[in-house]
Structure formats: C-alpha cells, structure tokens
Amino acid sequence: MPQNLTSYQQQTIHRNVLDNGIVVLAVENPAADIIATRIFLRAGSQWEPREKAGLSNLLSAVLTKGTEQLSSIEIAEKIESVGAYLSADAASDYFLLSLKTVSRDWPQILQLAGQILRSPSFPEAEVELERQLIIQDIRSQKEQPFSVAFDQLRQAMYKNHPYGVSVLGTEDSVSQLSRSDLEEYYQTHFRPDNIVISIAGRVTPEEATEQVERIFGDWLPNKTPLPTKILPSVPFQPYQIKKPQETKQSVVMLGYLAPSVQDAEFAGLKLLNTYLGNGLSSRLFVELRQKRGLAYDVSSFYATRQSTSTFITYMGTAPENTNIAIDGLRAEVERLASSSLSEDELQVAKNKLLGQYALGKQTNSQLAQVYGLYEILGLGIKFDDQFQQDINSVTPEMTQAAAKRYFLEPYVSLVGPAEVIN
C-alpha cells in the first residue's frame, strides 16, 4: 500500500511510495483538462560502460517501437487516435518516458506506458534502423562548429568520466551496439524500485496513485541489488584544444569545472551564470557584442548535474577576432573573481533567475518534470523551495568566493579556419 504521504509548499505535492518501491509524486492542477506524466528511471549515459556509449539513447529510440503485445504501428495508432503525446528520452543522469493527454484518456495512455515499460520487444529491424539514424546524427554534428567545439571541450574536461561523451555515443560505440546489449541494460535498470512517476494535472492525488498502483503495483522488484555506480574522478588539467574547420566564423569556448547540484555553492554559480551570459541584458552580450561588436553569438551556461558539472562561456566571432575573443571572454570571467558584484547587480540577477524559474513551472508538463527531476536526482521535493531560499540568501561576497574557487585557468576549445586558430 502507498506510504510516506507528504504535502508541501504552495502547491500540494503528494509523495507516495508503493510496496514495490515506485515513488509516486502527484500535483492536482485543474486549470486545464490535461494530465502530464513523467516516468523517470535512475539510468542514462552515466550508467553505461565506456565502450557502449549511446546505449541508453538507442534504448530510448526503440523502447516505443514494439511490445510483446503491440507493434510500433499499433502503439502509434493508440497514441494518435486520442491526440496524446508519448516519447522516451535519455540524458546523462536519468532515463525518461513522457506522456500527456486529456484527463479522460489518461488511464488508457498510462496503461500503454505501462506495457511499453514492462514488456518492450526491441524488434531487430527497429534496432538496426534507429542505430543507423543515430550514426547519421553523430556524423551531422561533426559538421556543426558549435557541436565540434563543445564535444572536444567536454572530452578534454571529463577525460574518462561518462559526462565526457555525448548521450548519443560515438560512431564507433554505436556501431557495435546490439539488441542483446539493449536487453541486458533493460534488465539491469528497468525495475520498479528504480522508478519515479511524477503526475500533474486534473486528477486528485488519490486517483493518480490508484491508477499507478493498478498498472504498476504487481511489478515485482528484482531480487538482485541495483548496480553500484562508481564514477572516475575528474582531474583538473586545463589546456587548449583546436579543430581546424573551414567556417565563416570561429567558435571560442572556455570551460571551468564546477560543482554539482548538491553543492553549497550551486546557487551562487547559477546567479553568476545569469549575470554573465543569460539573455540580451547579460554582461557578455552587452560588453562583447553591443559595445565592442566582437560576437555573432555570445553566452554562458552552467548545467545542473548530479556529478561534477561545467561552467562554460562561448562566442561565435569573425575569424580575425579569435584571439581578441579569447581575451575578452577570459577578462569578463576573471573579473568576477577580482571584484564582487554590486548589490544592485546581484539583485537584478536574482530577479531574473527567480522569474525564469517561476515561468518554468506554469504548465502541467513543467510541474511534472521539475518535481520528478528533483526526486530522481536525490534532492527531494523540498529542493524546489530550498533552491529559491538559497538564491535569495546569496551575497556579493559569496559569488566572489565561488568565482575565486572555480574560475581558475580555463580549458579552451577553438574551431575555425586553420590559419587563424593555429
């Protein structure tokens, strides 16, 4: 029977744990006649062997292409006949099955999701087709300067850590993947005690839990313990990586190793990212594009990661401005360590970040995604409120201390005409 009921924050989030270990999160939001569901699994690319990189992504591509009872065409017809949405995705830190439909059809679509999760058939022809499509996608990315710059930066920073490889995998690794690899990965990770089901929409928490219990309650957990994840360390060895490519612009990226989402300095670095590279009013955009005209595109991003993350700034610039772009990006980042933000600058960053955070929880799909993500990452549903409190409590001194700690010598990734980057 369900247990551990938790009510929390302005929206009441009900948390139940079924007897088989499935965690059910439910938020009643009757504003629209839609129910969104996110089914998270503790899987994803960081659970893959290095030589089988791309395995979880391939599984996400073929998971909905057949079950023991239904063909891929029959699955598609069931979804499209009621105008519903269902898809599978793989990320570094989790695997996800997403569905959305009107409340009347939700039990039917959730039942279909249950069949897909519990009895996929992995048809050989579908596996081969999706494998070839992924390889084409990998090859296509090698022609895109931004993707090339990011890929070589990621490999340089993470070395042998799974984050060092794209979720897609590599052309070599994907070429070697087989149906038996998918079955082994599925048997290892797809089990009820490894699942979080997050539901938001026009449904009561009691009804939501009852439906999950009806469809998934008899799914027995595997007696074999879940595999222990042992990740390699991420050494700090910054250097410059270059990739000659005949393009009309150079791509310059600076990368800094940064803390995971569980770290106390996570909030401060999120604010620095907002100040530095978030939007048309950000420091990088104003200083390097508007005032100096150096950038076609300039920004920064700091990924929310379960393990060691990265803080990255980048610029697309005319080839002749490549060296100036490197110096400009470095100067703006290093400035954050040498002088603190003013109270006004920090408050503007807080208002922007918290405003965007609130806008990211407007729809049922967004609510189901946010709460399910926090649960699967091990943060718990209270992190939603804790994060906002942490943001409000950050001081200028705290942001400067974080910058001094993490914005040391950067990894540098360059892609552009050979005569320029060399």
Side-chain angles (χ1 to χ4, degrees):
M1 292 297 293
Q3 53 184 316
N4 298 346
L5 182 65
T6 303
S7 295
Y8 180 64
Q9 226 207 26
Q10 300 92 338
Q11 287 161 323
T12 302
I13 308 164
H14 294 259
R15 182 183 185 275
N16 297 274
V17 182
L18 304 189
D19 290 343
N20 60 4
I22 291 178
V23 177
V24 182
L25 307 177
V27 179
E28 185 175 3
N29 182 26
D33 186 25
I34 295 292
I35 300 177
T37 305
R38 297 288 186 270
I39 303 176
F40 288 88
L41 292 97
R42 293 178 186 87
S45 63
Q46 64 169 303
W47 277 267
E48 300 167 350
R50 183 79 173 194
E51 67 276 9
K52 295 181 180 180
L55 180 56
S56 55
N57 179 67
L58 178 58
L59 192 148
S60 74
V62 300
L63 185 70
T64 60
K65 299 301 171 62
T67 71
E68 294 173 3
Q69 301 85 13
L70 300 169
S71 68
S72 61
I73 296 299
E74 290 171 325
I75 291 173
E77 287 176 347
K78 283 181 175 291
I79 297 168
E80 293 172 5
S81 66
V82 295
Y85 168 84
L86 190 150
S87 70
D89 299 285
S92 297
D93 293 333
Y94 57 86
F95 189 97
L96 177 64
L97 187 67
S98 304
L99 49 144
K100 181 174 65 174
T101 184
V102 296
S103 57
R104 179 193 65 240
D105 300 319
W106 180 65
Q108 172 187 345
I109 298 301
L110 187 64
Q111 178 77 46
L112 177 61
Q115 287 188 33
I116 290 170
L117 273 178
R118 298 182 62 175
S119 58
S121 58
F122 304 130
E124 192 71 60
E126 298 285 358
V127 172
E128 179 59 25
L129 173 61
E130 295 299 335
R131 198 164 62 87
Q132 293 302 322
L133 290 174
I134 291 170
I135 290 173
Q136 290 177 25
D137 195 6
I138 293 171
R139 290 172 178 169
S140 174
Q141 291 197 0
K142 292 179 180 179
E143 305 300 320
Q144 303 169 25
F146 179 91
S147 296
V148 172
F150 181 64
D151 188 56
Q152 67 182 11
L153 181 65
R154 174 174 50 203
Q155 291 180 35
M157 297 182 75
Y158 282 115
K159 306 295 190 297
N160 294 320
H161 193 284
Y163 286 172
V165 181
S166 166
V167 174
L168 294 179
T170 67
E171 189 171 343
D172 287 341
S173 65
V174 175
S175 297
Q176 302 301 315
L177 296 179
S178 66
R179 183 177 182 275
S180 61
D181 292 324
L182 295 177
E183 290 179 325
E184 181 181 356
Y185 186 85
Y186 171 84
Q187 293 296 335
T188 301
H189 298 287
F190 282 61
R191 42 192 285 176
D193 52 346
N194 203 33
I195 289 177
V196 173
I197 301 181
S198 180
I199 302 158
R202 188 174 288 182
V203 61
T204 68
E206 294 76 17
E207 292 169 338
T209 303
E210 287 173 5
Q211 286 292 342
V212 174
E213 177 79 59
R214 179 181 66 83
I215 295 168
F216 297 95
D218 62 344
W219 190 3
L220 299 178
N222 196 321
K223 293 182 180 180
T224 304
L226 282 162
T228 302
K229 182 179 59 177
I230 302 175
L231 297 176
S233 61
V234 182
F236 176 64
Q237 299 171 335
Y239 60 98
Q240 188 174 106
I241 323 99
K242 305 173 183 179
K243 177 69 175 179
Q245 195 173 69
E246 291 308 311
T247 61
K248 295 182 180 179
Q249 63 173 302
S250 295
V251 176
V252 178
M253 283 190 181
L254 308 184
Y256 304 83
L257 291 175
S260 72
V261 66
Q262 290 96 346
D263 195 277
E265 292 183 300
F266 176 76
L269 284 168
K270 276 294 185 184
L271 283 168
L272 286 178
N273 177 65
T274 300
Y275 166 79
L276 193 64
N278 185 342
L280 304 183
S281 62
S282 67
R283 174 80 184 186
L284 291 179
F285 191 91
V286 172
E287 294 296 323
L288 300 182
R289 180 183 166 98
Q290 287 190 339
K291 292 184 179 180
R292 298 180 62 183
L294 288 176
Y296 300 126
D297 183 27
V298 63
S299 189
S300 68
F301 57 93
Y302 170 39
T304 300
R305 286 282 176 82
Q306 195 172 34
S307 187
T308 303
S309 186
T310 51
F311 191 107
I312 293 174
T313 65
Y314 68 91
M315 182 193 299
T317 189
E320 62 270 19
N321 291 331
T322 301
N323 288 330
I324 301 174
I326 296 173
D327 293 340
L329 283 174
R330 287 197 64 169
E332 291 300 334
V333 176
E334 292 169 3
R335 169 182 170 273
L336 299 173
S338 60
S339 60
S340 65
L341 302 183
S342 69
E343 291 284 357
D344 287 345
E345 288 173 328
L346 183 58
Q347 190 59 53
V348 168
K350 288 180 179 181
N351 294 342
K352 181 191 290 189
L353 179 56
L354 291 175
Q356 292 174 342
Y357 185 74
L359 290 174
K361 297 190 297 177
Q362 294 296 297
T363 68
N364 290 329
S365 293
Q366 291 170 330
L367 291 172
Q369 178 74 23
V370 166
Y371 298 131
L373 177 63
Y374 291 160
E375 183 72 26
I376 204 69
L377 293 181
L379 301 168
I381 55 178
K382 289 186 178 181
F383 184 77
D384 178 52
D385 187 54
Q386 185 63 52
F387 173 68
Q388 296 173 75
Q389 293 178 20
D390 290 345
I391 291 295
N392 280 319
S393 66
V394 171
T395 65
E397 293 75 21
M398 291 167 66
T399 59
Q400 186 178 9
K404 286 182 177 180
R405 182 186 301 273
Y406 294 103
F407 297 158
L408 306 172
E409 186 76 15
Y411 292 79
V412 180
S413 176
L414 300 176
V415 175
E419 64 273 14
V420 172
I421 66 170
N422 289 329

